[in-house]
Amino acid sequence: MPIRTPPHNPHDISRHDLPDILGTIDSEVRGMFGSDMGKVADYIPSLASVPPDQFGMAVVTLDGQVHAVGSARQPFSIQSMSKVHSLTMALGAIGDDLWKRVGREPSGDPFNSLVQLEHENGIPRNPFINAGALVVADVLVSHFGSREAAENALLAFVRARSGNSDAGRDEEVAASERESGYRNVALVNFIRSFDNIRNDVDDVLDFYFLQCALRMDCVELARSVQYLADGGHCATSGETVASPERVRRINAVMMTCGTYDAAGEFAFHVGLPAKSGVGGGIVAVVPKVASLCVWAPGLDEKGNSRLGGYALHRFTRLTGLSVV
Ligand code: GLU
C-alpha cells in the first residue's frame, strides 16, 4: 500500500511569498479600475465624494509581521466593521445573555431592514444588521452607565487593538449619519416598543453613529481584529480580549452574517469569516494564521466592496488559506 505524504501544515503561512501575492492582487485590482469598480455609498456627502479608484490591503500574521500594499495607510470610514468590536465588547460585558436579546441567524434582508422585527418581537436576527448593532449599542450604554462612558470605552477598545492611540471619529460623517439616519431612528424606536432597547433612544443612536464614523486604515483594521485569529489574544496590547470559545462564536457569526445579505456568496467565493462596511472596507480572519483588511470604496449591489471582495477571493485562491 503506498504511503501518503502528509499534507503540508495549512497554518504555515511562511511558505507563501506574501509580498509577491499582495503585489499580484494589487496589480490585478488596479487593472480593474474604471471598469467594474462598483459604486461608492452615496447616502451621505462625505462618502459620496470618495474617489472609487483606490485600493489598499493589509495582512497581519500571528507572529506580528505586517504586509501591506496600495493605500493600506489611507484612513477611511470604517462603518459597519465596528460592529465586530462592539459585539466583542457586549459579549465581554454581559456574556451569553446577549443572545437572549439578539439572534445569530443570517437575515437574508438588507442591513437596515425593518421587516423581520415585527414578526420576531423586536429580537434582531443578528448583531451585524443595524437592528442588532443598535441592541448591542444599548447593552454597552447600560453596561458603562452612560453614552459618553460607552463611547470612551469603544474608543479605548479600538485604539488598544489597532495600536493607533489617535483613532477617532470623523465628526462630519457622524453628523451626516445623524441627519440622514431615518431608518436607524425608526429601528431603534421600533425595537424600544418591544422593550429590547432600555436606554434613551438618542443616546443609543449617538453611540451607534460614533461607531460608524470611526476612521482607520487597513493596517490598523487588520490589527484591530487580530485577536479573532489568535484565540482572543491581542498582540498589539498583550491583553486577552475574549476566550477561544467566544472567538469561535464571533467568527461563526461573521462567516454567516458578516457581509450583509450576500454572506452565502461571500462564503462561496472567499470562505473566511469577514465583516464589511459601506465605506468599502472588509476585515477578514484566517483562524490561527492571520487577520486581513482590504479597502476599495466602490460597492456592489449588496453593499460590499466589489474590488475588496475580489482581492480576498484572490488571496484565498493564491494561498489556499480558507476555513471551508
Ligand atoms: N452607517 C450606515 C447605517 O447605519 C451603514 C453602515 C454599514 O453598513 O456599513 O445605515
Side-chain angles (χ1 to χ4, degrees):
M1 211 154 96
I3 297 171
R4 287 182 60 197
T5 15
H8 45 240
N9 175 3
H11 295 152
D12 181 12
I13 199 165
S14 65
R15 66 196 174 82
H16 298 293
D17 184 344
L18 287 182
D20 188 56
I21 288 173
L22 263 53
T24 302
I25 295 172
D26 186 51
S27 53
E28 286 180 16
V29 167
R30 276 164 210 283
M32 294 159 82
F33 281 179
S35 56
D36 200 15
M37 291 186 296
K39 264 184 76 220
V40 297
D42 58 4
Y43 69 97
I44 54 174
S46 37
L47 291 184
S49 61
V50 175
D53 49 350
Q54 302 188 78
F55 173 67
M57 179 166 186
V59 179
V60 177
T61 60
L62 287 208
D63 60 5
Q65 286 184 51
V66 178
H67 300 276
V69 280
S71 306
R73 302 286 359 201
Q74 164 75 42
F76 60 94
S77 188
I78 82 170
Q79 294 290 332
S80 277
M81 287 182 287
S82 62
K83 290 174 179 158
V84 175
H85 307 115
S86 58
L87 170 64
T88 306
M89 289 176 68
L91 285 168
I94 64 166
D96 286 344
D97 281 350
L98 181 72
W99 303 119
K100 296 181 187 146
R101 295 183 56 189
V102 57
R104 41 185 192 250
E105 287 293 344
S107 73
D109 277 322
F111 65 98
N112 54 6
S113 169
L114 281 128
V115 292
Q116 279 162 349
L117 278 173
E118 171 109 61
H119 298 298
E120 298 179 3
N121 301 318
I123 308 287
R125 274 284 174 105
N126 69 67
F128 292 153
I129 51 174
N130 286 14
L134 288 162
V135 171
V136 165
D138 184 64
V139 165
L140 292 174
V141 172
S142 296
H143 179 76
F144 289 101
S146 69
R147 170 188 56 80
E148 205 184 14
E151 287 183 357
N152 288 338
L154 176 72
L155 284 172
F157 186 92
V158 293
R159 287 172 178 167
R161 302 293 79 77
S162 66
N164 175 358
S165 54
D166 287 332
R169 141 169 62 190
D170 181 326
E171 295 295 345
E172 190 190 324
V173 173
S176 310
E177 293 282 351
R178 215 193 200 306
E179 265 163 45
S180 67
Y182 302 111
R183 260 180 187 268
N184 290 317
V185 172
L187 281 166
V188 81
N189 281 289
F190 196 44
I191 303 169
R192 184 156 183 151
S193 75
F194 289 99
D195 214 21
N196 197 16
I197 292 282
R198 315 259 162 94
N199 292 282
D200 184 275
V201 290
D202 286 325
D203 283 340
V204 176
L205 284 167
D206 279 344
F207 177 89
Y208 176 74
F209 293 135
L210 161 86
Q211 72 172 81
C212 288
L214 296 175
R215 273 179 90 75
M216 289 161 73
D217 67 33
C218 287
V219 172
E220 292 162 1
L221 279 157
R223 279 204 184 106
S224 80
V225 294
Q226 201 211 10
Y227 65 94
L228 295 174
D230 200 6
H233 175 253
C234 166
T236 316
S237 66
E239 291 166 288
T240 299
V241 176
S243 66
E245 180 60 19
R246 183 161 292 157
V247 160
R248 268 196 296 279
R249 290 177 161 186
I250 296 170
N251 285 342
V253 182
M254 286 170 77
M255 186 82 186
T256 51
C257 312
T259 43
Y260 307 118
D261 46 336
E265 275 294 300
F266 197 86
F268 188 84
H269 288 294
V270 176
L272 293 176
K275 180 75 201 88
S276 54
V278 295
I282 309 175
V283 285
V285 175
V286 190
K288 302 187 175 59
V289 177
S291 54
L292 293 86
C293 179
V294 291
W295 174 57
L299 309 178
D300 63 20
E301 46 300 325
K302 297 289 170 79
N304 295 307
S305 169
R306 187 185 291 284
L307 296 181
Y310 173 81
L312 288 172
H313 159 74
R314 291 294 288 142
F315 179 82
T316 52
R317 289 300 88 80
L318 290 168
T319 60
L321 292 165
S322 85
V323 301
V324 291

